[in-house]
Amino acid sequence: MNSRIDWLGIRRAYSARGSYFGSRDADSFVAEAQRSSELMRTIGMPERLRLGPLNLDLLNLGLRLQADQLNARENPNFMDRMQSEWKVHHPNDIRTPIFPFFSRDF
């Protein structure tokens, strides 16, 4: 399980906010990857989704999204603070949902 985790993608969420990625964080992501893998296997969902030319690793996409959201809340950078202020001042703003698979890997 450890070898399939994209550690570089998870560490990128920490380094973008100047935070330290420690062994406790790594242990929690290993446990989360195991839980998510078991859940996906239980409901019959593949860990890798193939849509024509796209080959998406859903498990690592989910882990990276969790790392981003965790660090945006715990260690916000300028963009995170700006987005939270925007939500406070524009509560009824209609927004396009964020699709995590439209990333640099796309």
Side-chain angles (χ1 to χ4, degrees):
M1 172 57 71
N2 241 352
S3 62
R4 295 188 318 212
I5 297 175
D6 179 22
W7 293 110
L8 186 61
I10 293 172
R11 286 178 194 253
R12 198 174 297 136
Y14 282 81
S15 64
R17 293 170 176 85
S19 181
Y20 174 72
F21 183 77
S23 62
R24 291 177 66 189
D25 298 317
D27 291 341
S28 67
F29 277 105
V30 168
E32 181 59 33
Q34 290 171 345
R35 280 191 298 268
S36 297
S37 178
E38 288 297 320
L39 177 65
M40 292 170 84
R41 190 174 305 123
T42 301
I43 63 175
M45 188 173 174
E47 289 183 12
R48 297 191 75 81
L49 182 64
R50 290 173 181 86
L51 295 171
L54 296 178
N55 189 7
L56 303 173
D57 186 1
L58 297 178
L59 184 64
N60 280 319
L61 284 173
L63 290 174
R64 276 185 264 158
L65 184 63
Q66 288 179 11
D68 269 342
Q69 289 177 349
L70 173 73
N71 283 301
R73 185 179 64 240
E74 299 291 326
N75 303 307
N77 60 12
F78 172 75
M79 288 299 292
D80 297 327
R81 288 191 297 271
M82 186 178 74
Q83 287 176 354
S84 66
E85 287 178 16
W86 181 267
K87 288 178 187 177
V88 167
H89 295 294
H90 301 89
N92 297 325
D93 188 27
I94 298 173
R95 297 173 45 129
T96 305
I98 297 171
F99 296 106
F101 53 85
F102 289 123
S103 64
R104 284 182 246 161
D105 301 332
F106 184 68

